[in-house]
Amino acid sequence: MQETKYIIESILFASGESVNIAKIAEIIGYDYEDIYPVICELRDEYDEKQRGMSIIITNETAKMISRDKYFPYIKELLASPENTTLSQAALETLAIVAYRQPVTRSDIESIRGVQSSSSLDTLLARGLVRSAGRLELPGRPVGYVTTDEFLQFMQIEDIKELPQFESFASMPLTENEETN
């Protein structure tokens, strides 16, 4: 039954939401009556050891949550700048770096037509781009390239997996893009 507990634990962790216990039983290939006590036992183990997570069980669902006393730490993590969504400006800047790397700050600003320091700083702080050193150009500007974190963000293994830039030029604009 230990393996069954691990499977249930994995399901609850991965879902991040309440999961119907009958669905868990179906996935694992057991009856509801066999799974319910295993989930209760798992919940009791978490509570006994005062683990960072706990399990809430209703008549029909189970959910893994973080223990209340650790909320201040979670709140601090979620409030950090690297966990906020990227703005439209940051996404535009990221696309320019991805397709033109290594690219300078002035090149980015020339393409976007606006000052991009804030967007570039956000991408650097998030670890999505990095400095690739000084380029062999007049003034020796810093060149920026994408990082492994960017590849993970895009869920690709290699920058070559990005769609060809030229394919975007032939895409029709949506109604919203045409009016902007």
Side-chain angles (χ1 to χ4, degrees):
M1 262 310 169
Q2 194 64 34
E3 181 74 11
T4 303
K5 277 190 215 175
Y6 295 154
I7 293 168
I8 292 168
E9 183 178 47
S10 296
I11 290 170
L12 294 176
F13 176 78
S15 79
E17 298 178 358
S18 294
V19 181
N20 187 292
I21 295 172
K23 182 67 175 174
I24 295 172
E26 178 186 325
I27 291 168
I28 298 174
Y30 285 90
D31 292 331
Y32 178 93
E33 296 78 22
D34 296 327
I35 289 300
Y36 189 86
V38 176
I39 295 173
C40 290
E41 189 177 322
L42 186 60
R43 176 204 55 207
D44 295 345
E45 288 176 15
Y46 272 75
D47 289 345
E48 181 182 311
K49 295 177 182 177
Q50 287 294 294
R51 303 276 307 264
M53 307 301 287
S54 62
I55 297 174
I56 297 174
I57 302 171
T58 66
N59 290 334
E60 298 179 9
T61 66
K63 181 178 183 176
M64 183 178 284
I65 62 169
S66 53
R67 202 165 292 282
D68 289 345
K69 70 181 183 179
Y70 301 118
F71 177 73
Y73 304 101
I74 296 166
K75 182 179 176 185
E76 186 171 334
L77 170 72
L78 296 178
S80 65
E82 61 269 10
N83 287 313
T84 57
T85 58
L86 292 175
S87 67
Q88 182 68 33
L91 287 171
E92 290 172 5
T93 302
L94 184 57
I96 293 167
V97 174
Y99 282 100
R100 302 283 297 262
Q101 58 188 311
V103 63
T104 66
R105 183 181 305 259
S106 63
D107 288 338
I108 294 168
E109 292 173 352
S110 174
I111 292 167
R112 288 194 64 234
V114 294
Q115 199 270 347
S116 299
S117 295
S118 177
S119 296
L120 195 52
D121 290 344
T122 297
L123 297 173
L124 288 163
R126 294 271 306 258
L128 297 172
V129 300
R130 68 175 176 80
S131 165
R134 301 251 175 218
L135 300 178
E136 294 295 327
L137 297 171
R140 306 242 327 133
V142 173
Y144 296 95
V145 297
T146 57
T147 63
D148 288 344
E149 187 73 25
F150 167 77
L151 297 176
Q152 291 173 2
F153 178 77
M154 295 299 296
Q155 300 178 356
I156 58 176
E157 292 182 16
D158 190 288
I159 197 74
K160 294 174 187 157
E161 293 178 43
L162 285 175
Q164 292 299 311
F165 181 76
E166 292 76 23
S167 67
F168 293 113
S170 62
M171 291 177 65
L173 294 176
T174 65
E175 189 174 308
N176 288 343
E177 292 171 322
E178 290 173 354
T179 58
N180 287 338

